[in-house]
Structures are given as structure tokens and as C-alpha cells.
Amino acid sequence: MDDFLLVVAAFLILNVGAGLIRVARGPSPADRMLAAQLFGTTGVAILLVLAQATHTPALRDVALVFALLAVVVSVAFVKRGWVRTATSMEEENGGGEER
Amino acid sequence: MRRISLVWLLVFALVWIVLAAPRYDAWVAGGIAVLTGVILHTGLGGRQGARITLRGLMGFVPFFLNQSVRGGLDVAFRALHPTRPLDPTFTPYRTGLPEGPSRIFFVNCISLLPGTFSAQFHDRDLRVHLLTDDAEGARKLETLERKVAGLFGVRLEVPEGGTPADSDSSATRNERHG
Amino acid sequence: MTASLPELVTGALVLAGAFFFLAGTAGLLRFPDVYCRLHALTKADNLGLGLISLGLALQAPNWTSRVQILLIWLLALAAAATICHLLARSSLREGVPAVGVDTEVNP
């Protein structure tokens, strides 16, 4: 059972890795911020699976914090990060968002 | 000053017991956390009218779980399908739910159910993104609205305009030029 | 190696959950605009997390762990709904174009 769960955890980590392609590609800042969502849910799932596989219940507390932090990060991004990124992009590319 | 609810004190205490499971000696920190939680909850308007009923919960939870599974299957099918069948659009929706927790809950549920998420809302007017542009979308929202009203034991008010107003989208467009 | 019935059920649920995470990532990479990608992430990933949570809850040693897993899932649901709404709202405000909709991007 534990080995099986470790394989699942590895698979989920690969999933996050694949999702990072979207972060790298963008094109809009919000596309990149989808990573917070991805890390939020997939990260929580990975931690829950690992907590069971390695018999480390403390990892469940980490999962809880992960879920909370995902929201905080997104709020911070929407309130502060976006404006700066969008304007600096316009300055760099003359308003174009595609690269 | 609103009164501190005993029910919520109990709920927060239970949450703490679950979180600090094996350490019952942590009640100093726990007591502070529980009290802070209850005070914040009361201060942020947790007691505004609406009240979750057990019967409403029994009606809502199966509906929500069923819809969640459908939402997941639906989006998984579209994502893995070779041609990605999508016909996305935005649609305005006017809710009859009263201001307060039930309306907020409704807006959040829209984002978790199949093919819809809420993109903007102001007062009664929502702007919902649909994954597929069909008549089913509005009907699904109405069903959800009724279920949420049942959960909170509130009555749906008839919106003044009757039909959902299209003014929301034009207002956002004007905003962009301003 | 033999597995008991609860273990088999857990295995099936966890595998199903992993499938939905895969679908969510596929949608994230393949869907045409940020709004559709939000659908993929919020729906598929949360169902995936729900299934995995359910599967693991069957193996949990005691009831407090089970309730804890349930709480984590509910929190993740609330987080997903909030993040989805926030990102969509600010994308609209910033004029990120949507496929199939004539949202005017600033001229």
C-alpha cells in the first residue's frame, strides 16, 4: 500500500511539473498565477498521500497550511502584483502580451 | 455589539480538537485561537440572519457532491478530448438571494459546479463564465440558487428588473476606457 | 502480496483522483484562454483531491484524522473558489481577451 501511494505521489509531482509549462508560457500574468491554484490543490493532495505513505501525520498540518497560503498568495497577487507586472510588460513590449 | 454565539464557540473548539488532535495540553494556545476565531466570526457578520438548517444541509450536500463529480467528469472529458469541444462565453445573471452569507456562498458554489464560474459580482448582478454556451447554463444556476436558499433557509426575492440586466458587461467595458 | 478490501477501495479512489489531476493539468495546458483554464483547475483538481481524500480517510488511524482530512478538503474547496473568482475578476479588469467573446481589449 505504502509503495503504491509513493508512486501516486510521484505521479502528482510530475503533474505539477507539467503544469509549470503553463507558468513559463503565460501569456497573461493570471495564467502564471494559475500555478498558485495548481500548487494549492495538487500540493495538498501530494502531502496527504505522503502523510499516509510515510506514516507522518504532521504532513497533514502542512497540507492545511498549503491550502491557506494559496489563497493568501492569490489575494496578494490580485491586490499588488498584477498592476506592476502588467505595466512593466507594457513598457517592455509596447503593450503586446504575446511573446 | 452582537452576541457571541455558543454554537460557534463549540464549532471552533471542535475544529481545534481536530487540528491539535494528540495534544490536549495545548489548550492555552487553543483557547486563544478559539476565542479569536469566534470574535472575528461574529465581528465579520457571521450572524446576519441566515442560518444553516440540518434539513437544508441534507438536501444540499448530495446535490453538491453529485454536481462536483459531474463537473470534474465534464471538464476532464473536454480536456482530454482530441478536439477540446469548448464554446465559452460570459453571461449576466441576477440573483434573488438576499445580501449576506447565502449570496456569498452561492457565488462561490458557482465556481465549483460544472461549466460555470463567477467572474464578477456587484450587488445582485453576477457575471458568470460558461464553458459551453447553451440554455442549460442559466437553468443550472437557478437550480443551484434554489438549493442554496434551502440550505440557508432564506426566501428568494424577486429581482426588481425581472430579467437579468446586461448593463453589467457594458459597465465593465466603459470602465476600461475611463 | 494480498490486499484487504478497504485497501482495494482506497487504491481505486486514489487512482481515480490522480486521473482527475491529470485531466486538470491537460486542461491547463490545452484550453485556449485563462478563463477556460480556470475551469479545468477548479473542477478537475478539486474532484481529484476529494477522491484522494476519501480514499485516504478510509486508511486513517482514527476519527480525528478523518475529520482533519475532511476539513482540509473543504478548505481547499473554499480556496479554489476564492482564487478562481479573484483571478477571473482581475483578468477581466485588465482586459485579458477571452476566446469566443467580444471582450474589448483597450485600443
Side-chain angles (χ1 to χ4, degrees), chain B residues 100-152:
Chain B
S102 62
R103 195 185 286 173
I104 306 280
F105 190 80
F106 173 59
V107 172
N108 276 322
C109 279
I110 291 176
S111 303
L112 294 171
L113 296 187
T116 54
F117 72 70
S118 60
Q120 282 175 330
F121 86 113
H122 180 72
D123 223 21
R124 286 186 184 285
D125 292 311
L126 300 168
R127 200 170 180 205
V128 179
H129 186 257
L130 297 178
L131 210 44
T132 41
D133 186 7
D134 52 22
E136 219 190 321
R139 239 183 328 113
K140 275 191 287 196
L141 290 177
E142 278 164 21
T143 316
L144 174 65
E145 198 177 23
R146 256 183 291 125
K147 291 279 179 185
V148 173
L151 173 67
F152 282 88

Side-chain angles (χ1 to χ4, degrees), chain A residues 6-91:
Chain A
L6 282 177
V7 172
V8 171
F11 171 77
L12 291 177
I13 290 172
L14 282 179
N15 242 316
V16 178
L20 288 177
I21 297 173
R22 173 55 65 203
V23 182
R25 235 192 255 161
S28 80
D31 286 298
R32 299 180 207 276
M33 257 325 276
L34 287 175
Q37 176 88 303
L38 184 74
F39 277 57
T41 38
T42 318
V44 166
I46 293 169
L47 286 166
L48 286 180
V49 171
L50 285 181
Q52 181 66 35
T54 63
H55 305 280
T56 319
L59 285 180
R60 277 200 278 272
D61 299 328
V62 182
L64 203 64
V65 175
F66 251 58
L68 278 174
L69 278 182
V71 184
V72 176
V73 165
S74 296
V75 173
F77 165 75
V78 169
K79 287 281 170 206
R80 294 269 178 274
W82 183 298
V83 180
R84 204 172 304 146
T85 330
T87 19
S88 64
M89 272 172 96
E90 265 167 60
E91 281 161 11

Side-chain angles (χ1 to χ4, degrees), chain A residues 1-9, chain C residues 10-12 14-15:
Chain A
M1 193 68 202
D2 292 353
D3 292 339
F4 163 73
L5 287 178
L6 282 177
V7 172
V8 171
Chain C
T10 300
V14 169
L15 275 184

Side-chain angles (χ1 to χ4, degrees), chain A residues 15 22 30-31 37 61 82, chain C residues 25 28-29 37 42 68 94:
Chain A
N15 242 316
R22 173 55 65 203
D31 286 298
Q37 176 88 303
D61 299 328
W82 183 298
Chain C
T25 309
L28 178 66
L29 294 179
R37 288 175 201 139
T42 41
Q68 194 184 11
E94 298 290 330

Side-chain angles (χ1 to χ4, degrees), chain B residues 22-78:
Chain B
R23 299 189 50 105
Y24 293 104
D25 55 335
W27 269 108
V28 181
I32 296 171
V34 168
L35 275 181
T36 316
V38 176
I39 290 168
L40 278 178
H41 179 264
T42 324
L44 289 173
R47 277 166 61 79
Q48 277 174 9
R51 195 172 278 255
I52 295 180
T53 58
L54 193 67
R55 228 186 63 200
L57 206 63
M58 304 252 280
F60 185 79
V61 171
F63 167 78
F64 182 81
L65 292 180
N66 178 18
Q67 291 290 309
S68 299
V69 173
R70 280 176 191 221
L73 285 173
D74 176 68
V75 89
F77 169 75
R78 288 174 206 284

Side-chain angles (χ1 to χ4, degrees), chain C residues 73-88:
Chain C
W73 180 56
L74 289 178
L75 184 68
L77 280 184
T82 312
I83 293 172
C84 176
H85 180 82
L86 284 176
L87 286 182

